[in-house]
Amino acid sequence: MSKTKPHKAVYAGSFDPMTNGHLDVLRAGLKLFDHVVIAIGVHPGKKPLFSFEQRKQMIDEVCADQGYADTVSVLPFDNLLVDMVRENHAGIILRGLRDGTDLDYEMQMAGMNETMAPDLQTVFVPSSPAVRTITATLVRQISAMGGDVRSFVPRQIYVQLKKIHSTP
């Protein structure tokens, strides 16, 4: 059996903002793959808290801080994920699972992706127990209401959330 890791995986999401849960999945992905592309979905109909450029900058800072700068890249996508994966010469879609609800949804997506692109493989990694409850939606809501989200996001993200949600 070969001991080489598959070269590249794509980890897609909104990352609005990146949470410790996202970072947990990224860490697991980097144990399996040489390179992970963080694919930030950019959809004209959605109004994210942070622009793509802001999310990319924050994720780049987090990755540099973690020592991942050479093994992670951040790119936008507004097309089908399977097309984005192929365009970036990756064969793997990386997905994190928090619970059974995630599993049901992610299995549906993996099945649809496999039908459209049988040459691609979806790899699921379980979230660590300490981060299973974290969602970007809850982080945004808690931060907007003045709550402390330090334990849910990397330091760089916390600083940016404070800038947005602090009262003058």
Side-chain angles (χ1 to χ4, degrees), residues 59-89:
I59 293 169
D60 285 343
E61 289 174 11
V62 169
C63 289
D65 190 50
Q66 296 290 316
Y68 303 153
D70 294 335
T71 56
V72 174
S73 54
V74 180
L75 299 171
F77 80 103
D78 62 359
N79 55 344
L80 289 173
L81 178 57
V82 294
D83 293 337
M84 196 280 183
V85 172
R86 285 180 173 148
E87 288 165 8
N88 285 277
H89 309 287

Side-chain angles (χ1 to χ4, degrees), residues 24-43:
D24 183 65
V25 172
L26 178 61
R27 280 188 192 116
L30 289 170
K31 290 178 184 176
L32 300 169
F33 309 106
D34 293 326
H35 190 90
V36 174
V37 175
I38 294 178
I40 297 178
V42 179
H43 305 285

Side-chain angles (χ1 to χ4, degrees), residues 96-134:
L97 297 175
R98 290 175 297 207
D99 57 24
T101 303
D102 279 356
L103 178 62
D104 290 343
Y105 174 77
E106 293 295 344
M107 289 297 289
Q108 284 183 311
M109 292 302 297
M112 298 294 282
N113 287 337
E114 183 178 356
T115 298
M116 291 185 291
D119 55 313
L120 303 181
Q121 179 67 49
T122 299
V123 172
F124 299 116
V125 296
S127 297
S128 298
V131 298
R132 283 194 182 134
T133 59
I134 301 172

Side-chain angles (χ1 to χ4, degrees), residues 17-24 27 128-135 138-139 142-143 147-159 161-162:
M18 179 184 226
T19 68
N20 288 340
H22 292 125
L23 187 55
D24 183 65
R27 280 188 192 116
S128 298
V131 298
R132 283 194 182 134
T133 59
I134 301 172
T135 70
L138 289 175
V139 166
I142 292 166
S143 179
D148 186 353
V149 295
R150 277 181 283 204
S151 59
F152 307 130
V153 296
R155 177 185 48 79
Q156 297 88 339
I157 309 300
Y158 174 74
V159 168
L161 285 167
K162 285 298 284 181

